[in-house]
């Protein structure tokens, strides 16, 4: 279980971004954190991953205080983070990246299975470099494949829909459903897209650096869809799907 206790974070310019966030996420749960732009969603995700350190408060993973552990230490403890814009690695192949995530050389069959889970053909991708020749949608899938390879205790996705085409977005929803069905740990997705919100066990609405409300996906959807920029984002998505 992940537990956040009174998490606060102040930006270098003095702005208070997070103002006392308390949150528990049990194992096996898919939690979507949503809210308007500037509400602190991405900052909270980066703090959970260890990229940022809270100004005050504690982070507990299975009862152990990991507040001061950096991103590398969090990764060793089973915390994975997927960026809005996945990192590209010139000279590194998809095979190299997956084997690094696994922690050892892997048989072809295992690598093929992992790529197959995200809709990529191993023959076409295993020996390709993780560079600018891959589209945004392909990069998202490769990044998710590395998460699957790690079998993390806690996985955080920061706006996975950002910068990808509609077809890739539809496919990602299916990938998230499969991860959720098979995962032993927990998953957090930062998003304001309705189709991602609909697969959540719990939705957490963040506003002005605080948790405004939280509840089951079914209970929270009406409130989320009626709230400011979240509603606007969902409307833009519907327009794309209806084109």
């Amino acid at each position: 279980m992940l537990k956040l206790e009174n998490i606060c974070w102040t930006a270098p310019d003095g702005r208070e971004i997070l103002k006392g966030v308390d949150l528990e996420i049990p194992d096996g749960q898919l939690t979507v954190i949503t809210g308007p732009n500037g509400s602190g969603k991405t900052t909270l995700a980066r703090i959970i991953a260890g990229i940022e350190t809270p100004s005050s408060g504690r982070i507990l993973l299975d009862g152990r205080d990991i507040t001061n552990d950096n991103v590398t230490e969090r990764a060793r403890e089973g915390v994975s983070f997927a960026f809005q814009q996945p990192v590209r690695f010139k000279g590194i192949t998809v095979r190299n990246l997956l084997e690094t995530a696994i922690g050892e050389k892997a048989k072809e069959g295992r690598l093929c299975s992992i790529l197959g889970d995200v809709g990529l053909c191993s023959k076409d991708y295993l020996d390709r470099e993780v560079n600018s020749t891959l589209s945004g949608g392909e990069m998202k899938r490769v990044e998710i494949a590395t998460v699957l390879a790690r079998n993390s205790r806690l996985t955080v996705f920061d706006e996975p829909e950002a910068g990808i085409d509609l077809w890739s977005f539809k496919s990602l929803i299916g990938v998230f459903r499969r991860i959720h069905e098979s995962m032993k740990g927990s998953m957090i997705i930062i998003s304001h897209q309705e189709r991602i919100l609909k697969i959540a066990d719990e939705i957490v609405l963040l506003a002005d650096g605080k948790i405004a409300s939280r509840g089951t996906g079914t209970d929270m959807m009406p409130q989320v869809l009626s709230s400011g920029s979240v509603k606007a984002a969902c409307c833009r998505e519907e327009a794309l799907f209806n084109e």
Side-chain angles (χ1 to χ4, degrees):
M1 173 186 288
L2 176 72
K3 187 174 183 179
L4 308 180
E5 296 181 344
N6 195 31
I7 296 298
C8 299
W9 190 81
T10 302
D13 62 5
R15 288 179 300 123
E16 287 185 279
I17 306 300
L18 296 176
K19 306 169 184 178
V21 174
D22 292 303
L23 183 62
E24 289 187 10
I25 298 176
D27 291 342
Q29 180 168 290
L30 193 170
T31 301
V32 176
I33 299 176
T34 192
N37 291 335
S39 59
K41 302 186 301 295
T42 289
T43 299
L44 185 59
R46 291 170 67 88
I47 284 174
I48 292 171
I51 298 170
E52 301 286 354
T53 301
S55 305
S56 61
R58 293 200 310 162
I59 304 170
L60 304 174
L61 182 63
D62 295 337
R64 194 177 92 74
D65 191 333
I66 62 169
T67 310
N68 295 314
D69 292 354
N70 61 35
V71 65
T72 302
E73 291 166 331
R74 300 267 177 101
R76 293 195 189 108
E77 289 153 0
V79 179
S80 293
F81 182 73
F83 292 87
Q84 281 189 33
Q85 300 298 328
V87 180
R88 297 175 186 269
F89 302 93
K90 186 177 180 180
I92 302 294
T93 66
V94 172
R95 183 193 302 272
N96 298 150
L97 201 60
L98 290 177
E99 290 183 335
T100 299
I102 293 169
E104 61 183 11
K105 289 285 186 181
K107 293 182 178 180
E108 198 89 356
R110 183 178 180 185
L111 299 178
C112 291
S113 177
I114 293 169
L115 286 178
D117 285 341
V118 297
L120 295 178
C121 173
S122 59
K123 181 180 178 181
D124 296 333
Y125 286 92
L126 270 180
D127 296 316
R128 285 186 64 177
E129 286 192 18
V130 187
N131 57 23
S132 59
T133 64
L134 295 176
S135 69
E138 289 170 327
M139 280 299 305
K140 290 282 187 181
R141 292 183 185 216
V142 169
E143 185 174 46
I144 292 173
T146 64
V147 170
L148 292 174
R150 290 197 64 220
N151 195 25
S152 302
R153 294 162 63 192
L154 172 66
T155 306
V156 184
F157 291 94
D158 186 15
E159 297 195 21
E161 70 274 9
I164 64 171
D165 59 87
L166 186 58
W167 184 87
S168 294
F169 176 65
K170 287 181 178 180
S171 300
L172 284 179
I173 299 300
V175 171
F176 288 137
R177 287 184 186 278
R178 290 195 295 274
I179 295 174
H180 184 207
E181 289 168 359
S182 61
M183 71 181 180
K184 296 178 181 178
S186 49
M187 179 163 55
I188 299 170
I189 303 178
I190 308 298
S191 181
H192 51 221
Q193 296 295 340
E194 184 175 357
R195 281 168 173 76
I196 292 179
L197 291 165
K198 283 181 175 179
I199 65 173
D201 295 315
E202 182 177 37
I203 295 174
V204 176
L205 179 60
L206 205 63
D208 191 29
K210 301 177 182 178
I211 294 179
S213 58
R214 59 184 295 191
T216 66
T218 302
D219 291 342
M220 286 292 295
M221 281 301 289
Q223 179 181 352
V224 168
L225 294 179
S226 66
S227 63
S229 63
V230 176
K231 180 179 179 181
C234 291
C235 289
R236 288 195 298 272
E237 179 198 344
E238 286 300 321
L240 283 172
F241 274 80
N242 291 328
E243 284 182 352

